[in-house]
Amino acid sequence: MALDIEALRAEAQDLIKAAKDMDCLSQIRIRYLGRKGELTSLIKNIGHLPQEERPKFGERLNQLKLALTREIDEKQEAIKKLSAKTGTGLDLTLPGIRPERGRKHPLTQILEETYHIFTGLGFKIAEGPEIETDYYNFGALNFPDDHPARDMHDSFYLGTDNLLRTHTSPVQIRVMKSQPPPVRIIAPGKVYRRDADITHTPMFHQVEGLLVDNDVSFSDLKGVLTSFVHQMFGPDKRLRFRPSFFPFTEPSAEIDISCVMCMGKGCRVCSQSGWLEILGAGMVHPNVLNEVGYDPEQVTGFAFGAGVERIAMLKYGVDDIRLFFENDIRFLRQF
Ligand code: FA5
C-alpha cells in the first residue's frame, strides 16, 4: 500500500507539471480526486486494512489529497495568468470589456434637426450631384461669365466644364426643371471651395431652401426663417435681415441671429456687434425663373442657403470649424 501511494503521488505530480491547459487539469482532478478517482478509491479501501494500520494510512492519504488539490489549484492559476499575458486562450473568469457606444456626429444631428423642422413646415427633401457642370452651378443661376466665384482659384474644377459644386443652389435649377410649380424643397449636401481657416473648410455642408408658388413674398421668407431659427436656437433669438447680393436672388439678404454667446450684448465671438451671420437668402431672380421655364408673371419664390457647420458652431459654441472633421473622440463624445 505504501508503495502504491508514492507511485500515485509521483505519477499525478508529473501529469500536473506537464498539463498545458484547463481541460487537461480538470481531467487530472477527475482521475485522482473525482468520486471514482484513483486516490478516492484508495481512501475507500482503508476499511480492508488491519485495524492498527488504518489511522496512519488514512493520514497519509489525506495529506496526499490536500497536496494534489493545492498543486492542481496552483497550476490552474499559473495557466490563467499565462493565457492573459500572451493573449492566447479564453479566460471566462475575467470581467468583460464594455463595447464603446457610438453616437451621431454633431453635423448629422444638426442636419437631422434641420430636416425635422423643415418637413414640419411642409418642405420635401431633394438632392443633386456633387460634381456639377458650369451651367447648373453658375450659368443657370444668373452668374455673369466674369464672376469671381467662377475663378479657378475659388473652385475645384474637373476639366473645363465640370467642377465640384460650390453651393447647393444648383439643386434649385434641377428641381424646377424637373417639375412645374409649386415647389417647396430643402436640399442638403456637401459643397466645395478653395477655402481654409478656422471658420472655413474646403468641404462643408449647406442646406438650400426653395419655395415657389403664386404670391410668395419676402414676408413668407421672413416667417419661415424665423420659425427655423426659433426651433433650432430657441424662441428668444432675434433675427436681422441685412441687404446683400447674390446673382440668383433679388432682393437678397444676409440673415444674422442675436449672438448665442452673449445674448446680443456684444462679445469676442460676435466682434462686439451682438449679431452672428447664419445664412444667405432672397427672392428668386426672374432670370432664374425664366431659365427653368417658369413664368415670373405667374409665380414668385424665395430661396435661402445656410452653412450647416456654421449652425453647429453657433448652437454648440464651437470656435474652430476644423474640429468637426478631425474625428477626435474627445471632441465628438461631448455631443
Ligand atoms: C451661398 O452659397 C448661396 N448659395 C446661399 C444662398 C442660397 C443665397 C439661396 C440666396 C439664396 P454663401 O457663399 O454666403 O452663399 O454661403 C452660405 C453659407 O455657407 C455662409 O453663410 C457660411 O455659413 C457657409 N460657408 C461659406 N463658405 C464656407 C466654408 N468654406 N466653410 C464653411 N462654411 C462656409
Side-chain angles (χ1 to χ4, degrees), residues 160-193:
T160 45
D161 194 43
N162 292 334
L163 74 165
L164 295 178
R165 67 179 175 189
T166 60
H167 53 173
T168 41
S169 300
V171 185
Q172 289 185 33
I173 305 297
R174 290 184 177 275
V175 170
M176 286 191 282
K177 275 183 176 262
S178 71
Q179 64 163 90
V183 174
R184 190 186 281 239
I185 55 116
I186 57 164
K190 295 188 175 79
V191 301
Y192 304 83
R193 292 182 194 178

Side-chain angles (χ1 to χ4, degrees), residues 40-83:
T40 317
S41 307
L42 284 180
I43 294 170
K44 279 185 191 156
N45 280 338
I46 285 180
H48 296 126
L49 291 175
Q51 185 76 35
E52 64 283 5
E53 287 181 23
R54 287 182 202 167
K56 196 167 161 235
F57 197 69
E59 193 191 334
R60 290 186 59 199
L61 285 179
N62 266 336
Q63 274 172 2
L64 178 57
K65 185 177 174 184
L66 288 174
L68 290 185
T69 306
R70 197 191 62 241
E71 283 173 35
I72 290 173
D73 287 348
E74 283 172 3
K75 182 76 184 206
Q76 199 168 346
E77 277 309 304
I79 289 176
K80 252 195 226 172
K81 274 193 194 140
L82 189 71
S83 68

Side-chain angles (χ1 to χ4, degrees), residues 22-290:
M22 296 294 189
D23 248 7
C24 195
L25 268 183
S26 86
Q27 278 174 25
I28 296 170
R29 198 188 286 275
I30 292 166
R31 176 169 167 186
Y32 294 100
L33 305 173
R35 250 181 338 120
K36 293 183 183 159
E38 292 180 28
L39 183 56
T40 317
S41 307
L42 284 180
I43 294 170
K44 279 185 191 156
N45 280 338
I46 285 180
H48 296 126
L49 291 175
Q51 185 76 35
E52 64 283 5
E53 287 181 23
R54 287 182 202 167
K56 196 167 161 235
F57 197 69
E59 193 191 334
R60 290 186 59 199
L61 285 179
N62 266 336
Q63 274 172 2
L64 178 57
K65 185 177 174 184
L66 288 174
L68 290 185
T69 306
R70 197 191 62 241
E71 283 173 35
I72 290 173
D73 287 348
E74 283 172 3
K75 182 76 184 206
Q76 199 168 346
E77 277 309 304
I79 289 176
K80 252 195 226 172
K81 274 193 194 140
L82 189 71
S83 68
K85 228 195 255 168
T86 58
T88 55
L90 181 65
D91 182 356
L92 295 177
T93 66
L94 286 173
I97 300 166
R98 273 179 194 278
E100 282 272 349
R101 286 186 65 190
R103 63 192 77 199
K104 285 182 183 163
H105 192 281
L107 295 179
T108 307
Q109 293 185 34
I110 293 288
L111 276 168
E112 286 183 355
E113 208 173 328
T114 306
Y115 302 156
H116 178 75
I117 295 170
F118 281 108
T119 52
L121 293 169
F123 286 74
K124 296 226 165 3
I125 297 174
E127 283 184 335
E130 286 175 31
I131 297 177
E132 266 300 2
T133 58
D134 181 88
Y135 171 73
Y136 281 105
N137 197 81
F138 297 124
L141 285 161
N142 201 34
F143 278 78
D145 285 344
D146 58 353
H147 193 281
R150 288 184 128 141
D151 200 317
M152 298 285 278
H153 294 294
D154 293 320
S155 308
F156 293 104
Y157 277 89
L158 310 162
T160 45
D161 194 43
N162 292 334
L163 74 165
L164 295 178
R165 67 179 175 189
T166 60
H167 53 173
T168 41
S169 300
V171 185
Q172 289 185 33
I173 305 297
R174 290 184 177 275
V175 170
M176 286 191 282
K177 275 183 176 262
S178 71
Q179 64 163 90
V183 174
R184 190 186 281 239
I185 55 116
I186 57 164
K190 295 188 175 79
V191 301
Y192 304 83
R193 292 182 194 178
R194 290 180 184 264
D195 247 352
D197 58 36
I198 64 163
T199 53
H200 297 85
T201 43
M203 185 283 294
F204 60 102
H205 298 77
Q206 284 188 339
V207 176
E208 190 81 8
L210 174 71
L211 191 149
V212 182
D213 205 342
N214 300 323
D215 297 328
V216 177
S217 68
F218 202 90
S219 58
D220 295 314
L221 170 64
K222 285 179 97 171
V224 165
L225 291 180
T226 304
S227 174
F228 168 67
V229 166
H230 285 173
Q231 290 185 64
M232 179 63 81
F233 294 100
D236 55 330
K237 295 287 166 302
R238 288 182 302 134
L239 281 84
R240 181 170 78 168
F241 287 69
R242 271 185 298 110
S244 185
F245 175 79
F246 298 101
F248 39 94
T249 48
E250 180 57 35
S252 304
E254 272 176 329
I255 287 94
D256 303 332
I257 61 167
S258 49
C259 178
V260 288
M261 306 293 168
C262 65
M263 303 302 157
K265 290 190 198 84
C267 67
R268 195 177 60 88
V269 174
C270 60
S271 310
Q272 308 305 326
S273 71
W275 296 99
L276 294 164
E277 184 209 313
I278 98 154
L279 47 83
M283 300 305 292
V284 181
H285 199 292
N287 288 356
V288 174
L289 294 174
N290 276 324

